[in-house]
Amino acid sequence: MEYTGSKYIGEYVDGRMEGKAKYILPTETIYVGEMKDGVFHGEGTLYFPSGSQYDAVWENGLAIKGTYTFADGLHYDEKNWHYCDGYDRRFYTEILNGLKPAGMAQLTNMDPPRKIPKGYYDCGDGFYNPVTRVIKDYRNRFLRNADDDEHEWITRTCRKG
């Protein structure tokens, strides 16, 4: 664990992570579930810092069946996914609560939308500073540096503060 930055709280069998466990990754993603021979195995859930989660059945470290739920409660459905597709461009909150009256546009799934710092862009998983080309999450923690393609996409398509 000291080499990966992860933290393990759980049972061991013959020195290997095995049984019920809580595994915290350096990204602050948390796995709660069953382990076998040092990998996710059995039923378990990944909790992401964004508030979303992935409930799955794992086999030797691979998810063989699972469901993803966004932070706002929207469940991803691989077969019947119609959220924000070519036929229905409504946000999930609009599907739940209805559309606003004419002239009152909803710009994001969050209503009201989050406040973007002046000169920055909201790129969906954090704020982007086009001067430093750094993306930080909404709690001001470093996520990544944007390459040329991502920089171009963000400045062309994302909301600016």
Side-chain angles (χ1 to χ4, degrees), residues 109-143:
N109 191 51
M110 290 181 66
D111 190 35
R114 80 175 33 91
K115 185 167 172 43
I116 305 169
K118 185 175 175 70
Y120 285 65
Y121 292 84
D122 184 348
C123 57
D125 59 350
F127 295 125
Y128 175 63
N129 181 337
V131 176
T132 62
R133 290 189 166 206
V134 169
I135 300 167
K136 292 186 176 181
D137 71 12
Y138 298 119
R139 294 188 288 185
N140 203 33
R141 296 175 303 181
F142 176 83
L143 287 177

Side-chain angles (χ1 to χ4, degrees), residues 23 31 34-36 38-42 46 58-62:
Y23 189 90
Y31 172 80
E34 300 171 49
M35 303 276 289
K36 182 178 178 186
V39 297
F40 303 165
H41 190 86
L46 283 170
W58 303 83
E59 192 171 289
N60 297 318
L62 300 174

Side-chain angles (χ1 to χ4, degrees), residues 29-34 40-48 51-59 61-71 73-78:
T29 297
I30 300 170
Y31 172 80
V32 176
E34 300 171 49
F40 303 165
H41 190 86
E43 293 184 9
T45 301
L46 283 170
Y47 297 94
F48 299 97
S52 59
Q53 69 183 60
Y54 184 64
D55 301 294
V57 175
W58 303 83
E59 192 171 289
L62 300 174
I64 57 171
K65 178 182 174 188
T67 57
Y68 184 84
T69 306
F70 293 89
L74 174 66
H75 295 280
Y76 176 72
D77 183 345
E78 187 175 348

Side-chain angles (χ1 to χ4, degrees), residues 10 12 21 26 42 63 65 81 86 92 100 104:
Y12 288 89
K65 178 182 174 188
W81 185 250
Y92 183 57
K100 292 187 174 296
M104 295 181 67

Side-chain angles (χ1 to χ4, degrees), residues 93-105:
T93 52
E94 292 175 314
I95 292 169
L96 291 177
N97 305 320
L99 295 172
K100 292 187 174 296
M104 295 181 67

Side-chain angles (χ1 to χ4, degrees), residues 2-3 5 9 15 24 26 29 31 37 50 60 68-70 83 94 102 118 124 126 130 151 157 159:
E2 63 188 86
Y3 302 110
I9 303 163
I24 305 167
T29 297
Y31 172 80
D37 199 26
S50 66
N60 297 318
Y68 184 84
T69 306
F70 293 89
Y83 171 66
E94 292 175 314
K118 185 175 175 70
H151 170 82
T157 60
R159 291 188 321 119

Side-chain angles (χ1 to χ4, degrees), residues 3-16:
Y3 302 110
T4 65
S6 299
K7 183 177 180 181
Y8 177 76
I9 303 163
E11 302 168 355
Y12 288 89
V13 174
D14 295 328
R16 307 275 301 169

